[in-house]
Structure formats: structure tokens, C-alpha cells
Amino acid sequence: MSTITFDTQELVHELSAAGLPQTQADAVVRAIVKSHAELVTREYLDHKIDSSLAPVKAELLLVKWMLSLVLAGIASLVLNAFF
């Protein structure tokens, strides 16, 4: 998970200086902090996707080999029938 750090007290001060009441400024900053707690990094997401797709990739490799063997067998039968 990603961590984004910023000065929450400074943001509350800036919001208050812009005319927002103190309690409302506190609530806005708490909502921002809470929403940032659920962010993920690209590296974390890529790792999760790669780890969940690993079994699928392995099965696809097996299917490719099986298909190539079947096609080679069919080709050998066709060539044997004509020659």
C-alpha cells in the first residue's frame, strides 16, 4: 500500500484562512487522509496481477504444447496418406 504524507495541520490552517470554519476544515482534512489510506502503488498492483495470472499463464503454455503436438500428429497423418 502507498503512503502519501502531507502536513495536515497546515492544510487545516490554509482552509481556515480561506474562510472555512475550523470544524469543517478538520472534517475535510480527515476525509482526505481517510481516502489516501486506501491508495495502492503501481508496483503493488502489478505484483498482485502477476501473481494471480501465473497459474493461467502456466496452463496456456501447456495448452500451446498440446496443440502443437496434435497439429504435428495431424500433419504426419496427412503426409503419410499422400506419400
Side-chain angles (χ1 to χ4, degrees):
M1 295 289 192
S2 173
T3 303
I4 298 175
T5 57
F6 63 96
D7 189 0
T8 56
Q9 289 298 333
E10 181 181 343
L11 182 57
V12 169
H13 177 69
E14 288 181 22
L15 291 173
S16 297
L20 225 57
Q22 180 73 24
T23 55
Q24 197 172 11
D26 285 335
V28 168
V29 171
R30 277 195 307 271
I32 291 171
V33 168
K34 191 176 188 181
S35 69
H36 285 185
E38 298 174 6
L39 295 177
V40 296
T41 61
R42 176 178 294 279
E43 292 82 20
Y44 175 79
L45 191 58
D46 287 342
H47 172 71
K48 290 300 261 185
I49 290 172
D50 287 342
S51 65
S52 65
L53 288 180
V56 175
K57 288 180 182 179
E59 286 196 26
L60 279 175
L61 183 63
L62 177 65
V63 169
K64 282 183 196 178
W65 276 100
M66 291 172 62
L67 182 61
S68 63
L69 288 175
V70 167
L71 289 176
I74 291 172
S76 70
L77 289 174
V78 168
L79 288 175
N80 192 20
F82 290 110
F83 298 108

